[in-house]
Amino acid sequence: SLDAFIDEIDKKDLGDVTVKQTGCMGLCYVEPTVEVKVPGMPDTIYWKVDADTARKIVDEHIINKKLVNNHIFDKPSTDIVKG
């Protein structure tokens, strides 16, 4: 999926986009994960990102500023106390 991101970003001539590869986030069961940071939008973690999903993230999230809802990883909140 990393290659798909790079290819799609190059194809769309998005010179202001940076792609960084990192190590495991400790979420092995939903890997590969991708964190996307776009000004004016919430930082978003996408889960089980394959090549098709990577292309969709570039087109929908990065270019059109719309979340790819069916691939968002919703982290449990650590500040909610169950009573």
Side-chain angles (χ1 to χ4, degrees):
S1 62
L2 179 63
D3 290 340
F5 270 106
I6 294 169
D7 290 345
E8 196 69 15
I9 288 166
D10 286 346
K11 223 187 317 183
K12 306 285 183 181
D13 197 26
L14 301 174
D16 58 345
V17 173
T18 302
V19 177
K20 297 179 185 176
Q21 185 171 6
T22 63
C24 179
M25 295 173 56
L27 304 170
C28 297
Y29 63 101
V30 294
E31 299 283 342
T33 57
V34 174
E35 183 174 12
V36 179
K37 296 181 178 190
V38 174
M41 293 185 70
D43 293 351
T44 307
I45 295 175
Y46 289 104
W47 62 292
K48 295 186 179 179
V49 177
D50 58 14
D52 289 336
T53 305
R55 287 188 279 276
K56 193 179 292 187
I57 291 169
V58 171
D59 287 338
E60 293 184 24
H61 188 129
I62 295 173
I63 295 174
N64 293 314
K65 311 292 190 264
K66 296 178 184 175
L67 298 175
V68 182
N69 289 323
N70 60 334
H71 281 277
I72 293 175
F73 180 70
D74 189 17
K75 295 185 290 188
S77 180
T78 57
D79 59 351
I80 296 175
V81 178
K82 294 182 180 180

